[in-house]
């Protein structure tokens, strides 16, 4: 009888680098609280998932979703290009952008980078 030794897979599952994007469009006090609540919520969700590596929360305050030049959004997209992000969580499509062409352009670019977006 011959004994064969089979080694299991040593490949360790890589955690997804996950971030969130939050935005409010006005600088009203209640909107500031909303942004803080969104940030806190996503930090908690990402850090609580053992399959996720926290990659930050990007945000824009008092900037319309119709505008493409939002510092938080632009920084997040740049970090995605650098390979710092695998998945983006955001509350809704309207939080990501209110302009359909911006949503389509950004999500297509992210798809090319193998970065998912979960609305």
């Amino acid at each position: 009888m011959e004994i064969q030794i089979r080694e299991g897979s040593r490949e360790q599952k890589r955690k997804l680098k996950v971030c969130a994007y939050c935005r409010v469009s006005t600088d009203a006090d209640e909107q500031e609280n909303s942004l803080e609540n969104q940030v806190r919520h996503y930090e908690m969700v990402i850090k609580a998932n053992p399959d996720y590596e926290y990659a930050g929360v990007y945000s824009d305050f008092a900037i319309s979703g119709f505008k493409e030049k939002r510092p938080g959004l632009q920084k997040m997209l740049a970090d995605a290009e650098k390979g710092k992000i695998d998945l983006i969580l955001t509350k809704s499509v309207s939080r990501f952008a209110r302009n359909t062409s911006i949503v389509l352009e950004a999500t297509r670019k992210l798809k090319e980078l193998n970065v998912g977006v979960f609305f």
Side-chain angles (χ1 to χ4, degrees):
M1 175 196 310
E2 183 180 333
I3 298 175
Q4 292 183 350
I5 299 173
R6 294 185 182 182
E7 293 188 31
S9 174
R10 292 184 182 184
E11 194 174 306
Q12 198 172 20
K13 185 177 175 186
R14 185 177 74 84
K15 291 185 174 190
L16 285 176
K17 295 174 275 190
V18 180
C19 76
Y21 177 71
C22 305
R23 181 187 63 78
V24 293
S25 56
T26 67
D27 61 0
D29 288 340
E30 59 272 1
Q31 288 290 303
E32 186 171 352
N33 290 336
S34 173
L35 182 62
E36 290 171 5
N37 290 338
Q38 287 179 56
V39 169
R40 194 173 319 115
H41 168 76
Y42 283 114
E43 283 178 346
M44 203 167 50
V45 166
I46 295 168
K47 290 178 179 179
N49 190 322
D51 294 329
Y52 290 172
E53 176 184 326
Y54 180 72
V57 175
Y58 300 82
S59 64
D60 287 303
F61 180 68
I63 300 176
S64 170
F66 283 107
K67 295 183 179 178
E68 191 171 355
K69 301 296 182 201
R70 291 175 270 148
L73 179 67
Q74 297 304 314
K75 173 78 170 123
M76 182 181 69
L77 295 174
D79 284 351
E81 286 183 16
K82 294 174 187 171
K84 295 181 178 182
I85 300 167
D86 295 316
L87 177 63
I88 299 167
L89 307 179
T90 190
K91 183 178 177 181
S92 65
V93 173
S94 67
R95 292 300 89 203
F96 196 74
R98 289 219 177 250
N99 182 320
T100 305
S101 65
I102 294 172
V103 172
L104 291 174
E105 182 181 326
T107 54
R108 284 179 181 151
K109 182 177 183 178
L110 291 165
K111 182 179 178 184
E112 288 174 10
L113 299 168
N114 291 319
V115 175
V117 182
F118 186 80
F119 297 104

